[in-house]
């Protein structure tokens, strides 16, 4: 049986866009996570039920390919599918469509379950996986990793302090904020003139309320930027973003 | 004829709440502004049309009274009315209701039109006011001002740099971000244990992308906090917030 799909519509509004009126990458991630949370609710996979299995879902990697970001007022459809999984990893896909059904963005994510007791990766409990009707597979698709940061390139370093309002109701930093820290380190004119077409991101270590992180960015090629968010010498997130003229 | 009212529903989602699952003040302001922008669209008062009159709307003051902030998953109704105006000022009201029609919050705002040419307050053009069917009045309701900051009280000072993604499609800092800067300067435990019941805020000077502002907060009484956001010695925003145990 094919994995359950779930979709919903969303109207893009003024506080979700940047100064060029395009949906921000941070909001795109918020919408992808929202549609999967709404799928969970529809399948009775509530946060409390998942907690009762002793685990919580954590994303380790995304690969996002973008045709075009929608603008203020656009009504979009967001779709997701918990496509496949094995003992330790779940592979989820995401789509963003415009009102005419044209694909605007496609995302893939690798998720794991962390044990509350051991604080380590745990076998995915059957009870929280079965409702998706996902395919059980020995080998899951591998997402491309971000490029290695090349320390020989000149970097720009910007500090960000994790704010109270960066923390979500699960007590963790909402991942969307990493995108704000990463991209804000680029010049405003660059962000106005370029649009992201491909994002490879890997989450390595969690940061907490009050931590001061450093967002490092390097222009690795004419069309790619290399991002690292660090807490001291520990890497929290690494990402590679490909850009094209807007 | 009574002023036109306009309302719409909104589902509160996970990225709009704090770690206690309650809608943030910043998002409450976003929803108030959104419903008034949607009213403008419904009345054909587009941003381009308003610009064609040589002006733009700017808020100078809000007074917000809160019964209770909604939580993740709640469907709320947001309502607004451009109640009355005179040559220079427009008085607008806002309401937030829960699904059962119970009032959760009530807001009042004073708006002015700024001339693009002179960068000063301009007479409100008839063409952008008439569609609301607002009442023309010599004297508008006066909103209570924030208390004067008492420099004798110990202050906490936190710096914030205006980010690219703080700027909206009109090229201005989205006012909701002032609420993040003001409240983030309070301790997390205070924010978890208290809820705002009354907010008086006055916008005095605009800040720009790249500016470093200082958010100052003082506990003026057991139940009130006094906030100032400053750019150097210039006050950008002053606010008084009243709290009660959540």
């Amino acid at each position: 049986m094919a994995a359950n799909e779930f979709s919903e519509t969303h109207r893009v509004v003024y506080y979700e866009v940047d100064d060029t009126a395009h949906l921000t990458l941070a909001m795109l991630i918020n919408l992808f996570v929202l549609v999967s949370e709404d799928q969970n609710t529809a399948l009775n996979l509530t946060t409390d039920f998942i907690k009762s299995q002793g685990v919580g879902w954590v994303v380790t990697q995304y690969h996002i390919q973008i045709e075009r970001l929608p603008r203020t007022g656009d009504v979009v459809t967001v779709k997701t599918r918990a496509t496949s999984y094995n003992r330790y990893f779940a592979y989820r896909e995401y789509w963003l469509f415009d009102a005419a059904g044209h694909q605007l963005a496609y995302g893939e994510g690798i998720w794991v379950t962390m044990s509350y007791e051991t604080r380590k990766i745990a076998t995915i409990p059957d009870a929280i996986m079965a409702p998706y009707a996902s395919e059980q597979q020995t080998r899951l698709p591998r997402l491309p990793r971000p490029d290695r940061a090349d320390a020989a390139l000149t970097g720009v370093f910007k500090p960000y302090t994790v704010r109270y309002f960066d923390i979500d109701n699960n007590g963790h930093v909402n991942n969307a904020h990493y995108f704000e820290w990463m991209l804000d380190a680029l010049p405003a004119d660059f962000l106005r003139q370029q649009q992201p077409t491909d994002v490879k991101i890997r989450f390595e270590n969690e940061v907490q309320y009050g931590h001061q992180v450093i967002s490092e960015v390097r222009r690795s090629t004419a069309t790619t930027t290399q991002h690292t968010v660090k807490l001291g010498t520990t890497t929290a997130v690494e990402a590679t973003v490909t850009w094209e003229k807007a």
Side-chain angles (χ1 to χ4, degrees), chain A:
Chain A
M1 186 168 102
N4 279 310
E5 288 181 357
F6 188 88
S7 68
E8 61 195 18
T9 58
H10 178 82
R11 176 172 67 119
V12 176
V13 298
Y14 83 96
Y15 52 81
E16 301 171 346
V17 303
D18 65 18
D19 76 340
T20 73
H22 289 90
L23 188 75
T24 64
L25 257 191
M27 268 307 304
L28 178 62
I29 291 295
N30 276 337
L31 294 182
F32 281 170
V33 173
L34 178 62
V35 72
S36 61
E37 293 213 347
D38 286 336
Q39 179 181 40
N40 291 351
T41 305
L43 297 173
N44 281 315
L45 293 165
T46 61
T47 308
D48 282 347
F49 175 71
I50 294 164
K51 266 191 190 156
S52 77
Q53 303 293 306
V55 298
W57 284 111
V58 175
V59 67
T60 63
Q61 245 187 302
Y62 286 122
H63 180 212
I64 299 162
Q65 293 162 275
I66 300 163
E67 293 283 320
R68 178 166 66 77
L69 287 164
R71 296 168 60 97
T72 316
D74 290 352
V75 174
V76 292
T77 297
V78 201
K79 187 173 90 168
T80 192
R81 179 173 66 197
T83 309
S84 53
Y85 72 108
N86 62 23
R87 266 172 74 82
Y88 292 108
F89 299 97
Y91 170 71
R92 186 180 269 282
E93 291 173 282
Y94 309 85
W95 292 264
L96 186 75
F97 301 102
D98 69 13
H102 183 83
Q103 185 171 306
L104 301 178
Y106 169 67
E108 300 162 280
I110 299 290
W111 292 76
V112 297
T113 48
M114 300 285 280
S115 158
Y116 280 104
E117 203 185 320
T118 65
R119 297 261 140 207
K120 289 194 178 134
I121 291 178
T123 309
I124 300 174
D126 277 342
I128 70 167
M129 205 64 226
Y132 298 121
S134 289
E135 243 184 288
Q136 199 168 355
Q137 290 188 327
T138 320
R139 289 177 71 86
L140 296 185
R142 274 179 179 261
L143 303 195
R145 290 185 164 229
D147 303 335
R148 289 236 135 241
D150 181 353
L153 293 169
T154 309
V156 171
F157 301 78
K158 267 196 171 182
Y160 296 90
T161 301
V162 181
R163 301 175 182 174
Y164 176 71
F165 297 105
D166 295 338
I167 308 296
D168 65 22
N169 183 225
N170 295 318
H172 300 284
V173 170
N174 173 350
N175 282 333
H177 295 296
Y178 289 103
F179 289 88
E180 289 173 5
W181 301 331
M182 292 191 311
L183 299 194
D184 183 58
L186 288 163
D189 280 344
F190 180 93
L191 293 167
R192 273 186 201 110
Q193 290 157 15
Q194 308 275 332
Q195 66 156 22
T197 59
D198 187 288
V199 181
K200 303 176 188 77
I201 184 165
R202 221 178 117 85
F203 299 93
E204 306 205 345
N205 288 283
E206 213 188 341
V207 299
Q208 314 276 348
Y209 169 69
H211 280 166
Q212 195 192 61
V213 298
I214 304 290
S215 171
E216 301 182 14
V217 60
R218 292 178 174 83
R219 300 285 293 270
S220 33
T221 74
T223 57
T224 58
T225 52
Q226 172 62 42
H227 302 264
T228 313
V229 176
K230 279 190 181 166
L231 179 69
T233 55
T234 303
T235 296
V237 167
E238 272 197 317
T240 301
V241 183
T242 307
W243 302 86
E244 71 177 21
K245 264 248 174 309

